[in-house]
Amino acid sequence: MGEPQRTSLLDAPEHVLSTLQKDGSRRWLRPRLSHGHFLTARRIAAYLLIVIFTAIPYTSINGKPTILLDVVHRQFTLFGKTFLPTDTVLLALGMVGFIITIFLFTAVLGRVWCGWACPQTVYMEFVFRPIERLCHGTAGRGGAANRPVPKWRMALKHVLYFLISIYLAHTFLAYFVGVENLRHWILGSPFEHPVAFVVMTVTTLLMLFDFGYFREQMCILACPYGRFQSVMLDRQSLIISYDPQRGEPRGKFEKHVASGARRFGDCVDCHQCVTTCPTGIDIRQGLQLECIGCAQCIDACDAVMVKLGRSPGLIRYSSQDAIDGKPRRRFRPRLVFYPTLLVIIAALLAVVVSHRQPADITLMRNPGLPFVLNPDGRVANNLRVKITNRQSSPASFSVSIIDDPQAQLTMSSNPVMVKPGESLTVGLVITLPREVFVAEKHPLKLRVTDGDAVNRQLDYQMMGPSNGANHE
Ligand code: SF4
Ligand code: SF4
């Protein structure tokens, strides 16, 4: 008996990562295209999404961009509504709601988003890979292309990649800076907008790196959504699955053998489902983190089954329980828990939105002395008022004191013009005769109005000397 073969502790297992060779080098994936119903449907969905993604920055609702994530000015405009930093509660609720919706969506539909709608998949599979196939020809999986690629084809591929990366970078940034700014940047000289030029160049290079080099590793290694899928899915979630009951034991196709006399299951081990997989996995090994649910393996396997006169669906949309022959469960705790949370969040959002004012107005005392005694004997308080205009048009806000003829208000400018979505802080001084102060405080009411939608009354405690009334 020979000695058992010893392996070094540093020897990597055969399959560490689908994009990694055993020696640690990159395994380049060139998935074979498999035509079928799902590819046709995904293609239509992908090109529609590309049109929508490109068009959204050019559209507006109520005179505002449909989506503008203006990080620089800290304003988010979503479907014609602008949210400011003061909308923290609203944004936090929206974010929590969004995350729970992702959890619910994934629990029901698995990774449909990844395979059908994620920009990474859409652009990779329906823009960059077709260009690659055009320039390289249709190769199998892994290693170099099957035949040498002429230099001019390689050059053409890189030029096309670069041009599409420029388009992608501009479209992506349009969501953050708006199309008007973008047009201004494009038409102006880079020396006029050096920062914008650098941002655009870096974004273009990142796009080129992602789609030209990093590719499917974005889904396998970098995307947190893929990493979290194991906690988001349950045994009833929709997944793409190979049916081992039907497929195993796998073996070569046996010609002229009656179905009852076959030694093997339906899987003929043709590897079509593997060579078509954009993340390089073998779905027959069960649900894997790398599976983005693109359904390419379904199309590949269905074509094989039809060719062999067997019914399609050896690989299909299913669930872990269904594949194991277990009944469908009507009650799934997460399908009760997530919607309940969403209803609560929707109710809270409705309350917050209904209490949203067309302007935020805050009155603040200036730091330092609570009051000052003026030479004319009047007591002065120094304040500032912060006005945030949430309306879609500029508004002129005037500040006044209500029903106290002894009080005098001084401001550097009154009324105050505030642009839509902007905040302005202005200083103001209120004075009262010293005799008014029987105690240290004297209540006042201020009004801030734009003469239209905004009419706010603010309470203020004027500070003064405690014995002002007895002072000689
Ligand atoms: S394509 Fe179908 S038959 Fe071929 S290896 Fe994959 S599962 Fe088996
Ligand atoms: S296993 Fe099938 S569904 Fe999953 S990524 Fe590969 S081809 Fe797409």
Side-chain angles (χ1 to χ4, degrees):
M1 225 164 82
E3 285 222 342
Q5 201 182 348
R6 293 185 62 189
T7 53
S8 157
L9 277 178
L10 295 176
D11 275 351
E14 195 70 38
H15 179 90
V16 180
L17 208 59
S18 56
T19 52
L20 211 58
Q21 308 273 24
K22 203 182 172 193
D23 64 2
S25 61
R26 169 86 178 265
R27 171 189 266 162
W28 284 92
L29 301 178
R30 299 220 168 78
R32 198 190 305 274
L33 196 62
S34 297
H35 294 275
H37 300 308
F38 287 112
L39 179 67
T40 308
R42 283 176 68 227
R43 215 176 239 158
I44 293 169
Y47 292 129
L48 259 176
L49 286 170
I50 288 173
V51 170
I52 292 170
F53 178 60
T54 309
I56 280 178
Y58 297 90
T59 59
S60 59
I61 297 174
N62 301 331
K64 290 183 176 183
T66 306
I67 298 179
L68 179 62
L69 310 173
D70 189 346
V71 180
V72 175
H73 297 102
R74 299 189 298 158
Q75 287 182 18
F76 289 176
T77 304
L78 299 173
F79 304 105
K81 293 257 177 272
T82 299
F83 300 94
L84 303 172
T86 44
D87 288 318
T88 324
V89 179
L90 211 58
L91 289 171
L93 282 172
M95 190 58 74
V96 173
F98 178 67
I99 291 168
I100 294 170
T101 307
I102 291 178
F103 273 64
L104 177 63
F105 183 84
T106 311
V108 179
L109 294 176
R111 291 183 74 176
V112 165
W113 163 260
C114 299
W116 290 72
C118 174
Q120 175 72 23
T121 308
V122 165
Y123 283 99
M124 189 69 232
E125 301 305 322
F126 297 99
V127 177
F128 284 88
R129 286 218 205 271
I131 290 173
E132 186 176 55
R133 286 188 191 107
L134 183 78
C135 299
H136 282 227
T138 43
R141 192 192 85 176
N146 285 351
R147 59 191 165 86
V149 182
K151 280 197 178 127
W152 71 268
R153 277 175 170 259
M154 287 297 278
L156 176 67
K157 182 182 88 170
H158 291 303
V159 168
L160 289 175
Y161 276 11
F162 186 60
L163 291 176
I164 290 165
S165 298
I166 292 175
Y167 141 74
L168 272 179
H170 282 75
T171 309
F172 178 67
L173 286 178
Y175 281 83
F176 294 90
V177 299
V179 280
E180 276 314 311
N181 272 333
L182 204 62
R183 191 173 291 134
H184 194 57
W185 291 0
I186 294 168
L187 298 178
S189 152
F191 296 107
E192 281 174 35
H193 315 283
V195 177
F197 183 72
V198 169
V199 169
M200 197 56 80
T201 308
V202 170
T203 313
T204 302
L205 292 177
L206 282 174
M207 295 289 172
L208 197 56
F209 171 77
D210 178 24
F211 292 107
Y213 178 79
F214 204 52
R215 317 191 114 198
E216 63 284 334
Q217 298 188 110
M218 181 60 89
C219 312
I220 299 172
L221 301 175
C223 176
Y225 181 57
R227 300 259 132 200
F228 278 119
Q229 70 157 321
S230 53
V231 290
M232 291 196 255
L233 296 176
D234 63 20
R235 295 188 59 84
Q236 294 275 331
S237 303
L238 190 72
I239 54 168
I240 289 178
S241 183
Y242 164 74
D243 185 349
Q245 322 287 345
R246 193 185 139 185
E248 300 296 317
R250 64 188 78 157
K252 294 288 170 220
F253 179 62
E254 300 163 294
K255 276 186 189 165
H256 314 302
V257 176
S259 60
R262 272 167 38 196
R263 287 180 298 150
F264 302 119
D266 276 349
C267 176
V268 292
D269 210 13
C270 62
H271 277 241
Q272 293 290 319
C273 54
V274 183
T275 53
T276 199
C277 177
T279 59
I281 58 168
D282 185 344
I283 191 68
R284 294 173 301 168
Q285 291 172 5
L287 180 64
Q288 292 149 76
L289 185 129
E290 293 92 337
C291 175
I292 56 167
C294 69
Q296 274 279 94
C297 51
I298 300 183
D299 278 340
C301 189
D302 280 355
V304 174
M305 290 299 114
V306 169
K307 212 165 157 189
L308 300 179
R310 295 174 183 173
S311 55
L314 177 56
I315 300 174
R316 59 181 181 270
Y317 274 108
S318 186
S319 70
Q320 278 181 298
D321 272 352
I323 286 288
D324 293 344
K326 293 183 183 165
R328 189 175 173 74
R329 267 192 290 137
R330 283 187 193 283
F331 178 76
R332 294 164 65 190
R334 61 184 77 198
L335 296 196
V336 176
F337 182 63
Y338 294 150
T340 309
L341 274 182
L342 282 176
V343 168
I344 294 170
I345 287 170
L348 288 173
L349 272 172
V351 171
V352 175
V353 168
S354 66
H355 284 83
R356 224 166 150 238
Q357 303 281 346
D360 287 340
I361 298 160
T362 320
L363 194 62
M364 296 163 283
R365 239 180 255 286
N366 277 354
L369 291 172
F371 66 89
V372 177
L373 271 176
N374 285 348
D376 62 1
R378 293 179 71 86
V379 176
N381 279 200
N382 288 304
L383 315 172
R384 58 196 193 281
V385 63
K386 183 180 176 190
I387 304 171
T388 305
N389 181 12
R390 297 179 166 283
Q391 301 166 97
S392 52
S393 51
S396 175
F397 295 89
S398 60
V399 185
S400 57
I401 294 170
I402 305 172
D403 294 339
D404 199 330
Q406 296 189 85
Q408 285 177 4
L409 172 72
T410 315
M411 288 173 71
S412 54
S413 69
N414 192 7
V416 183
M417 181 63 78
V418 188
K419 289 184 192 163
E422 282 203 346
S423 294
L424 212 70
T425 303
V426 279
L428 52 99
V429 181
I430 302 175
T431 62
L432 273 173
R434 183 174 183 160
E435 300 74 43
V436 168
F437 292 91
V438 285
E440 285 176 356
K441 293 177 182 172
H442 179 81
L444 279 180
K445 284 190 190 306
L446 277 80
R447 171 169 288 126
V448 180
T449 178
D450 67 348
D452 189 9
V454 181
N455 188 3
R456 289 276 302 283
Q457 201 169 300
L458 306 166
D459 289 321
Y460 176 65
Q461 290 289 350
M462 185 84 179
M463 304 296 287
S466 57
N467 58 349
N470 301 326
H471 180 81
E472 286 303 310

